[in-house]
Amino acid sequence: MAQQPSSSANFQLIEKAHEDSVQTAFDRSEAIKPCPFGEYGTCCKICALGPCRIPPKQAESLRGICGADVNTIAARNFARMIAAGTAAHSDHGREVARTLIATAGGEFTGYEIPETPQAEYKLRLVAGVYGIPTENKSFTELAAEIGEHALAEFGQQEGELAFIKRAPAKRQAIWRELGIIPRGIDREVVELLHRTGMGTDQDYQNIMLQAARCALADGWGGSMITTELQDILFGTPKPVRGKVNLGVLKEDEINLVVHGHEPILSEMIVLAAQDPSLIELAKSKGAKGINLAGICCTANETLVRHGVPVAGCYSQQELAIVTGAVDAMVVDVQCIMQGLSSVAQCYHTDLITTSPKTKLPGGIHIELDEHQPLETAKEIVRHTIENFPNRGKVVIPDEVTDAVVGFSHESINYMLGGSFRASYSPLNQNIINGRILGVAGVVGCDRPYVREESVHSALVKELIANNVLVVQTGCSALGCAKEGLMTPEAAFEFAGKELAEVCEAVGIPPVLHSGACVDNSRILIALTEMVREGGLGDDISELPAAGCCPDWIHEKALAIGHYFVASGVYTVFGPSLQTTGAEAFSDFIYSGITETMQGSWAYAPTPGEMAGLMIDHINRRRKALGLEAQQERVLFDMAMRREIEV
Ligand code: NFS
Ligand code: SF4
């Protein structure tokens, strides 16, 4: 049967929005054309002598008033985005560390340190990395000490972040040699902002070294702390079934949508939505029950831990409200469009902000009371129920896709090797014998452009057709889940024969969803485990692996890109890296940087070209390892896709 493009839900709601005279990001992206100087990366506004803008034609002759050339300007802009991205991920991690400490100390009620074997495993593992003795300590004591160690790493001034020790020895040696091991998370962000201000660092290569130190403080610091501590508090994801796309909203139930990034409140909302007295209240208003759904990375967090359905990714946040079925959308931090305010005003939806860091015009602020978060969650659910009778016309697209998600590094390990001999050996063996060509991490955001097929799924389909196993996070993962790539059956439909056989034997989809964007730290650990398992070289840079962010929006994506590059990964980005006006700087990040990092950025405009670069890189690595070359590349074009879909 022909599969409908998952974007038809979007088409339907964009039309409804137009009928309702509502403007969304899909309209605004037509109205606003990107500023060319932003794309060149050569507009500098870091001091009041400027803004200084240097057009490509004058790149050689023209400089900023202070004398800065295009390469310094582009490097500063690029590095400042990396600092901002690191700050966002890491500030999230700081909240999780505070929550862990306060929960263990009994100061915050509602959360608990679970007494499960999974929690014990994670507590011992993290305690080991921090050098915390575990003998005769309760789970709570261990959690408190881990939280204190983690929190201290934000303000640490000297030394090395502890999780750096988890990287392959060869990688650590490279970082030490370059002097880029992060000392403290906040310190690296601050130093990068300092160095890229007016009149400090003017050597783009040196700027990118500090950018690497800062990005590593994200990947192997803030993000990894977030992932590990959330796993302790809320559980390590394991494979779970979920449903994705706007059709998860229900006409006859209360729809509460959680949106943002920190699962600290949404974990409590998951509990509150199951409260019998609140379900009764919902019924008394004429609803059949309470339907919780997610948007963006909060969705990813609740999906991979609880199978909570996902209403959509970044570009669909306004469209969820356009359905007329969302009784409240509750947001915390990051990736929340200001456009939500004006869209919500046209429907009955209450927009509820919960963090002192994020307030929206027209939003209702119900601040998370950390001391009794469950009470805040119940208040929000109650508020949502009370709004149900105010609904007007409802149009919910009939589009939902099934997905199997929750592939943390631990669950991949377990799926591959079984409970008694959990290991990456089957993965490495299948790469060595050529059934799996290599591994790709595909991450990133989705843009509000009307397209028949997303760049994420176009890219991923081509990778798996060429027997590359794909691991995903973020909105990129949600995009591919919507396209039906995350079911075990997808292996037969889309993957190459050899990869499909491996997926069938192990019982996994060819595309593994491992969580939110902070969970890219899980991919770093998975790559490290592949090195440790043996047979594929001594460093991440030697693995037949590549990374890709086929579309990006937030500065967080550049922080992720640069920590992958600094960890030795060949990392392809599209659709634009905002450096095109600075030739020497671009050449440096695309190739010169390989000399020191053994990883680099790459750019390609289309999914097919991105896949090509990644597959060529994987084949080069296979050759260097003495593994046999792959058969001819399968070009997965539109015609072939249609044939499969018929
Ligand atoms: Ni990542 Fe997640 Fe989505 Fe992009 Fe935003 S939600 S942290 S930044 S848009 S993937
Ligand atoms: Fe212009 Fe230099 Fe100031 Fe930038 S730092 S705005 S290039 S004078």
Side-chain angles (χ1 to χ4, degrees), residues 4 64 152 187 192 237 250 261 281 300 381 393 421 463 589:
Q4 274 197 314
R187 177 167 185 186
L192 188 52
K250 294 188 177 155
H261 283 76
L281 180 66
N300 281 317
V381 174
K393 185 180 167 210
R421 49 183 180 83
L463 291 172
I589 61 169

Side-chain angles (χ1 to χ4, degrees), residues 25 48 105-106 122 139 143 172 216 282 320 337 361 413 421 450 460 575 603 634 639:
K122 200 88 297 177
F139 283 18
Q172 292 181 49
L216 291 172
M337 289 187 190
N413 204 19
R421 49 183 180 83
V450 183
V460 166
Y603 165 77
V634 180

